[in-house]
Amino acid sequence: MTVSLAACSFASFLRTFATFFTLLILSFTTLPATAQDAAAPADASAVESAEAATQDPAAIVQSFGGKQSYDDTEEVISRLAATGDPAVARALRALREGDLYWRESDEAVFIAARDGDNYALTDPYTGEEAGTAPRGDMSKVRVKNSIRNAVTGALGSLTLRSDNPGQRMRAANTLFDEANPDMIEPLEAAIEAEEDASIRTAMEQARAAAILQSDRPEEEKAEVTSVLAQRGDRQAQTYLNAFAASTEDDAARVAATSAVAQIQSNINFWNQAQNVWYGLSLGSVLLLAAIGLAITFGVMGVINMAHGEMVMLGAYTTFVVQELIRNHAPELFAWSLAIALPLAFLVSGLVGLGMERGLIRFLYGRPLETLLATFGVSLILQQAVRTIFGPTNREVGNPDWMSGAFEVGLMSVTWNRLWIIVFALVVFAGLLLVLNKTVLGLQMRAVTQNRQMASAMGIRTPWVDAMTFALGSGIAGIAGVALSQIDNVSPNLGQGYIIDSFMVVVFGGVGNLWGTLVGAMSLGVINKFLEPYAGAVLGKIVVLVIIILFIQKRPRGLFAQKGRFVDA
Amino acid sequence: MTDHFTTRREAAEQTKVLEEPQGQGDTSTAREELGGGLSAPPANRTVADEGPMAAPKSGSSADAALCDSAPPSEEPDAEATTVEEPVVSPHPYATQLRNERIAKEKRLGARRETLLYLDGVNKTFDGFKAINNLSLVVQRGEMRAIIGPNGAGKTTMMDIITGKTKPDSGDVFFAGDVDLTKYDEAAIASMGIGRKFQKPTVFEGLTIEDNLRLSMEGSRSVLETLFHRKSGKENDLVEDILEETRLGERRHAKAADLSHGQKQWLEIGMLLAQDPELLLVDEPVAGMTDAETEETARLLRKISETRSVVVVEHDMHFVRMLDVKVTCLHEGTVLSEGSLDHVSSDERVIEVYLGR
Amino acid sequence: MIFAKYLGPRVWFLVLLLVAAAILVPMASLWLPRSHPLHVPSYAVPLIGKYICYALLALSLDLVWGYLGILSLGHGAFFALGGYAMGMYLMRQIGSRGVYGDPVLPDFMVFLNWQELPWYWSGFDQFWFAALMVMVAPGLLAFVFGFFAFRSRVTGVYLSIITQAMTYALLLAFFRNDMGFGGNNGLTDFKDILGFSIQAPETRASLFAASCIALAIGVLIVGAITRSKLGNLMIAVRDAESRTRFIGWRPEYVKLFAFTVSAVMAGIAGALYVPQVGIINPGEFDPVNSIEVVVWAAVGGRGTLIGPVLGALLVNYGKTVFTSIAPQYWLFVLGGLFVFVTIFLPRGIVGTFDHGWDAWKARRASKEREMGEGAAEPAPGPAE
Ligand SMILES: Nc1ncnc2c1ncn2[C@@H]1O[C@H](COP(=O)(O)OP(=O)(O)O)[C@@H](O)[C@H]1O
Ligand SMILES: [Mg+2]
């Protein structure tokens, strides 16, 4: 019985780790691809520039340069309008305001703003800064009223009639921001023609914004306040506020004020949503940091004070991997995290295994001594890393798919946070699978519940301990890969997480991964909700106090292990 | 509450239990007179097998005897006779209330004569019923043996009595009217309930003498211990117990250096020092030699001369040596109760022990 | 005196040594000429004084860890609170000699544009009040914290972790400027204590002497506690907490008492420390500091009276020497010390020595007994 179990458990060990890895790698190899798909709509201009390759809008913008008749200018305007590229709006608007200049030397076109004796230049198409030029070197693209009208018309028709719905949507949004009374009619025409309901709504909102700015009758303005209230964002609120302040008509003011209030509640809602999001994001970081600790603490009752250093080792592994890739195979950079993951798991896992075999196993049954010895190890690891890599922060890059942000409603979501949440959940799920579906997992649960009984059943508890410790440390290493994306990679990285991770484990309860999940997420959310009222530091203190009070009520955490073996 | 255990302490001070075991009668009456200021009748420990709650046939019959309080007016039973007293108010509801009150008093009155009273106790661990409608009554001065297969809930029952585990439902009363479920371990211990664990636990870092001194009956104020001086009385008691438990030679040795059997004895010695009114002993002879077992039985019998004892034990030989009333537990309920011969001839007990 | 019998000669020797040091070291520093071989250089006086304060801190930890089994990872917090209380007194003594010359407000408050002293700074211009607060602040914190923690039976590593969280929370709090304790920079630039210049060699010598006396008293108090019945009760709680409940004790009160006394001792150590090093800042709340205290006690031998004192002196002297030779390797040494002590020297130096001594005595006694029996004498038991 024992022999067969032992043999089978070694095989199972291999299988366990294989399963875990496959899961991880799968999750991460799909990342770059999916990330690009997902990123596509956010970065649509790239797609469109391919579409309009024959008529490169940037090139057309450049044809404003040189001495031109008004007719030439108008022709360029209509050509720009025909591209349907919303990015040309910048140049057109600059033209209308008289901010568009061309350089005498090469007839290159810029948006220029006075800056002392120089002009500060911006690229008229991309909006990037383009250095400065002496005032004498630049000439203005001349405009008159008919040109201005042409620009306005072009701006509207530019994209409102585009075939690309995304573009029409963006045009409507641009016009909303502009709120130009001249655009009311083009908008109305476009609304007539529009078939997509959501775009039509956006256009109606743009029209409403424009109407508020126009000199139309107050009744009409009061009518459209409800349209703006529907939109519910800060810009709409600004328009309405201005209108409420300026209008003479009582009914209109009441309508505007109620619309403002409606928007305010909408904004509040999204603020809360943003807080929850930040909280979940913090929670997932805590989850990553704490989950390995929860396993070692749950199974062995061992407090590993060097756990934070395992996280740090994972982060430094990422750093080393990225350095190697930068120097030898830069094209692999997008894959650097996927490559770092298994390595970090191995590095931290092996260090953990070494710690268990060389140190902790001599200290079983003496949890306080274990705590001290592992603290000693944490000092040594920190100093070792400091000696090798230096005491300062090391630069770990974000691959493209980890950077940037997008908007959901009124809240902004950064990709790296999103991926870390996803990743934390994947690690969590993977660990659940390992615990529930593999022999090692079964044995770990058995040992957690009753060590003596498990050992009497032929489970080699020392082996389970060693593997548990290696697994917990390895997961800390993986957490380090993720944390390297959002935190400074320095020898102190781990220290910043250790107390929080302990709090998560204590709060969630030992021996139950779900407890860790709930503990991490609720601590994250509580923290972020306290921050606006108490400030970051005080919020943290309040959370610590809450936890200390909480374990008054439930000394064994939210999801306590039950049974008599618990109270020794 | 406090007055209860102070009075108990005073009572214990009046008579030195160990020195004069023949003075037991005085001790118990002194205790009972002082106990909570109640007018409890003298305990009939010699007639423990008779009286109102004598030898209930099964677990539930304990409450049948003690606490059946069916609406008295309908049934012409014991309670009905009380209704014949002059009726104060003709209103039927008033009569009913009064009858209920009288029934309650009567019930409590019966309970007052008991030392330990468990009724309808339930305890569930994660859906597993460890204690199931358990009822048990121990008289003052009685020694009771509890047997039952492993997992029958014997230890859990002790946990409930000593406050370590809170029951889900049911009554647990000590000395008639002290609801034990309301107190924690320390308070219950101070009331005079001592407990010996299945696994001997002594204070390994202390000498044997200090182990005994710490257990010794007396003030439990932490600050007082800081200024505590050893008194002559204390020293005498330590001497007695050391002699009784045959640990005198090793009095200055650390408890950690004792053998397993010696630790068991030290623990019993600590209980003696604690001088409890009720002693709960969990598997005292596990891992003992025959000679040690016999010696332990002798010691327990001696102890039971001056106080009530509940012994949990597997060892039938040992239980026979004790020669007391036996309760057999199974799956958290009383299966059978009576003399050892009665219990061991009960078919259900045989079935439980031998399997089917 | 009964005391003498209980404490044993070794502890009395330590106490006498401390008293002698309190008298002789200042004399050797102040009055012996520089050239004299026994002259104590003036920089060494506050340095050794600092070690002595650490020793008192280690001793206070030993009271709860060695005798009661509570591994507090937050004793640095009590030390720092005592230090802050003393620092506040020293701050108020600066008076108008600060950079901004405000007669009442300390410099950092002027800098933060505060108009008046916060209420919790009042009274600290009186030494007696500050001295009281040195004990009350850590004692109160320990009492409240312990009340909650021990009542809900939080023990073992859980307790260690929440004590660590406690000091961590305080670290964060004291870093804040609006707490009114000088934020990041803490309290420094002290001038006078009780009217004497804090820089003067005589003042430093007196502070040194005070530290030695405080440590000697600390050893006696811990000795008195641990040799009383309460001391036995503490060991009982350490060895089998739940058993003590079943004989009627309330371990939570035992713990609360020892924890509070210990915190007060730590606070006093901190108060003596601050004027000798001239600064107190939030860094003292760093959890790492608290853990270092644990290793001092562990090295010397917990559960003994002289162990923690010895350990604190040895480790800190080692630290001073080592950081002057190869500062970057000190953490390796410290980390290695943690590992080494827990694995190879769990009883610490003093404990290991005692253990070996006891074993040797026991062997000799049993040998004597055998010989006695061999000589067919009526065997008397081993003499106690
Ligand atoms: N704290 C507890 N948690 C879960 N189950 C328990 C606990 N205490 C006791 N049990 C269960 O209750 C049952 C009765 O146990 P116990 O009282 O120890 O039996 P006995 O002492 O008669 O052998 C057992 O099945 C045991 O597993
Ligand atoms: Mg049992």
Side-chain angles (χ1 to χ4, degrees), chain A residues 297 301 303 305 358-359 362-363 366-369 371-373 375-377 379-380 382-384 386-387 495-496 499-500 502-503 505-506 509-510 534-535 537-538 540-541 544 547-549 551-553 555-556 568, chain C residues 65 69-71 73 145 147-149 151-158 160-162 164-166 168-170 172-173 176 242 287-288 291-292 294-295 298 302 327-329 331-332 334-336 338-339 342-343 346:
Chain A
F297 191 31
I303 285 268
M305 293 294 276
L359 187 62
F362 301 113
L363 295 171
R366 291 156 63 194
L368 296 181
E369 273 90 342
L371 189 156
L372 293 180
F375 179 76
V377 173
L379 288 183
I380 293 175
Q382 262 178 52
Q383 189 59 30
R386 203 171 282 132
T387 312
Q495 279 192 321
I499 291 188
D500 286 336
F502 281 134
M503 289 301 119
V505 175
V506 169
V510 172
V537 174
L538 216 55
K540 210 160 192 175
I541 297 171
L544 287 178
I547 290 178
I548 291 175
L549 290 180
I551 50 182
Q552 300 300 304
K553 278 272 153 253
R556 305 262 163 215
Chain C
W65 185 34
I70 300 173
L71 176 54
L73 297 182
F145 183 90
F147 178 80
F148 284 117
R151 194 190 53 162
S152 55
R153 304 192 183 177
V154 180
T155 53
V157 284
Y158 279 92
S160 302
I161 290 304
I162 63 165
Q164 185 173 45
M166 173 193 78
Y168 183 61
L170 285 169
L172 295 177
R176 291 163 53 89
S242 72
V288 175
I291 295 201
E292 261 188 60
V294 175
V295 91
R302 65 195 153 103
Q328 67 275 33
Y329 293 115
L331 278 186
F332 285 126
L334 186 63
F338 273 98
V339 176
T342 45
I343 300 242

Side-chain angles (χ1 to χ4, degrees), chain B residues 162 184-187 189-190 195 197 201 203-206 210 214 219-220 222-223 225-226 228 267 274, chain C residues 2 6 153 225 228-230 232-233 235-236 238-240 243-250 253-254 257 384:
Chain B
T162 53
D184 67 354
E185 296 101 311
S190 300
R195 176 173 183 187
F197 284 83
T201 35
F203 306 123
E204 308 228 317
L206 294 179
D210 287 335
L214 268 192
S219 159
R220 290 298 190 245
V222 168
L223 280 182
T225 57
L226 187 55
H228 181 83
E267 211 182 356
Q274 195 186 343
Chain C
I2 315 166
Y6 283 122
R153 304 192 183 177
I225 293 177
S228 71
K229 187 176 179 188
L230 178 58
N232 284 340
L233 185 52
I235 290 175
R238 181 189 72 188
D239 291 346
R243 190 75 182 84
T244 60
R245 292 183 201 281
F246 289 106
I247 51 178
W249 297 104
R250 293 195 183 272
Y253 294 156
V254 179
F257 173 81
E384 286 300 337

